[in-house]
Amino acid sequence: MQKINFNAGPAQLPPEVLHEAAQSVKQYKKTGMSVLELPHRGKEFLEILEESKTLVKKLCGIGHEYEVLWLQGGGRMQFCMIPMNFLLAGKNAGYIDSGHWSHEAAEYAMYYGNAQILASSQDSNYSRLPDWPQIPSDLAYLHVTTNNTICGTQWHSIPKTEVPLIADMSSDIFSAKTDYSRYPVFYAAVQKNLGAAGLALVVIRKDMLGKTPVILPPMLSYSMQAHENSILNTANVFGVYVSLLMLRWIDARGIDAIEKENIRKAALLYETIDNSTSFKAHVTEKAHRSLMNVCFTAVTTEVEQSFLAMCEKNNITGVKGHRSVGGLRVSLYNAVTYGQVEELVDLMKSV
Ligand code: PMP
């Protein structure tokens, strides 16, 4: 029996997507081959790649001025590639430290060059967003994490800046309307709203490609990856295919409808927590709360234990908080339904 899966990633995927992926593992279209066996330079995969790129641009409302890449190594590989490609000698990069992953992104950049944390909410255990700092106008780029998966905060709007804005959108891409054209570079590890773990979607404005140094090994160079259409080495054929199925699913629903549903789901859960005597929200500042990852604690360890046992008994999984912070976390990515959240809140009310 399929569980209700509230994990933060790898996360729940829509049943239709799982069904089609499973069929294609048996046989892809009428090729007589599994999708797992498709050659990465063959006609079928090139079609998958092209359609995925077209859909990403459509969903982002961007055009030919951008390149769409599917790169291996997940989110953390992008923590490496961004400074390697854009933090050139003599330049500084700025990082907004609003959570575990933004901190790690900054640390990775520090291995490579001069990266500075310009604002941080680490002292509040990331239970709020930091105040937006003054941004030096000569930065190579400013890096921001739009949704903080582990502590449950989200930037619902980001102030204008003059320097190139690079965003990690791993846990909220395609969850709500946003102006993607503000970002010359944005990326997302795909295992939340966009597919199977191991890949990252990277979207880069073409003028940024010209800034990358020529001395990088090709695998780590955005301009080489763009030049080779993300198939510089053997591509993750299955990963890109599952992401395409997710993109089709998102496109069929439309971002407007997805956003409305995500607001409804999060409102129901936060309201239940705020009105409860058993649970407390980690993020008290309502404007900073994430629609994707809802973090909270039980008032006592006994309440936490009995709630987790009830979840287990009722076929609900993935509600334990990240190992670094503890407590509870419920992830409400696009594939999670309102009905599933209702089932969860009914349990919470009965603790
Ligand atoms: N950024 C964010 C916002 C994340 O939530 C995560 C974790 N999935 C990562 C980066 C790191 O991704 P990966 O585990 O694929 O390296």
Side-chain angles (χ1 to χ4, degrees), residues 4 22 57 61 101 141-142 162 179 202 213 236-237 239 280 314 323 332:
I4 299 181
K57 288 186 186 171
W101 296 112
Y141 63 83
L142 176 69
E162 284 167 27
D179 180 4
V202 184
N236 180 347
V237 171
K280 266 176 57 187
N314 287 275
R323 60 195 144 79
L332 302 176

Side-chain angles (χ1 to χ4, degrees), residues 9 73-77 79 101 145 147 149 168 170-171 189 191-192 198:
R76 283 177 186 81
M77 187 59 91
F79 295 173
W101 296 112
T145 308
N147 182 73
T149 325
D168 175 356
S170 295
S171 48
Q191 62 267 27
K192 297 141 195 311

Side-chain angles (χ1 to χ4, degrees), residues 13-34:
L13 295 176
E16 310 86 293
V17 166
L18 292 178
H19 177 75
E20 197 164 347
Q23 288 296 111
S24 299
V25 166
K26 289 187 190 137
Q27 177 165 211
Y28 182 71
K29 292 190 174 165
K30 289 190 174 122
T31 57
M33 282 186 284
S34 163

Side-chain angles (χ1 to χ4, degrees), residues 130-331:
D131 292 333
W132 194 258
Q134 201 63 30
I135 309 293
S137 60
D138 58 351
L139 291 181
Y141 63 83
L142 176 69
H143 182 280
V144 63
T145 308
T146 51
N147 182 73
N148 299 289
T149 325
I150 293 181
C151 297
T153 59
Q154 185 174 17
W155 293 98
H156 295 290
S157 73
I158 291 183
K160 283 204 166 65
T161 65
E162 284 167 27
V163 302
L165 198 49
I166 297 187
D168 175 356
M169 301 187 177
S170 295
S171 48
D172 64 352
I173 194 157
F174 302 137
S175 65
K177 292 186 292 290
T178 192
D179 180 4
Y180 291 93
S181 70
R182 292 190 57 198
Y183 302 90
V185 181
F186 54 96
Y187 65 97
V190 304
Q191 62 267 27
K192 297 141 195 311
N193 270 334
L194 207 49
L199 271 185
L201 167 69
V202 184
V203 186
I204 305 193
R205 219 173 51 207
K206 287 179 182 160
D207 61 296
M208 294 295 284
L209 293 174
K211 297 185 183 181
T212 61
V214 283
I215 45 134
L216 285 176
M219 277 298 284
L220 300 172
S221 157
Y222 289 126
S223 53
M224 285 307 288
Q225 289 283 6
H227 186 255
E228 298 294 326
N229 196 20
S230 307
I231 40 179
L232 203 155
N233 72 326
T234 311
N236 180 347
V237 171
F238 185 64
V240 178
Y241 172 66
V242 177
S243 288
L244 170 62
L245 297 181
M246 282 303 294
L247 289 165
R248 285 185 190 152
W249 184 88
I250 294 166
D251 188 42
R253 263 149 203 79
I255 302 267
D256 281 6
I258 286 177
E259 178 177 25
K260 277 200 194 108
E261 198 63 357
N262 285 337
I263 292 171
R264 236 161 60 88
K265 290 182 306 193
L268 175 63
L269 184 49
Y270 280 119
E271 201 182 283
T272 307
I273 297 166
D274 289 341
N275 292 330
S276 165
T277 48
S278 305
F279 301 105
K280 266 176 57 187
H282 179 62
V283 181
T284 49
E285 186 73 61
K286 291 189 176 165
H288 294 189
R289 285 177 171 176
S290 168
L291 298 183
M292 294 285 98
N293 310 99
V294 177
C295 297
F296 55 108
T297 48
V299 284
T300 63
T301 344
E302 290 72 38
V303 173
E304 180 177 312
Q305 290 311 323
S306 79
F307 176 60
L308 288 171
M310 280 166 80
C311 287
E312 174 86 32
K313 211 167 130 218
N314 287 275
N315 233 8
I316 292 177
T317 192
V319 295
K320 228 178 147 16
H322 188 269
R323 60 195 144 79
S324 67
V325 288
L328 301 157
R329 171 178 57 175
V330 170
S331 296

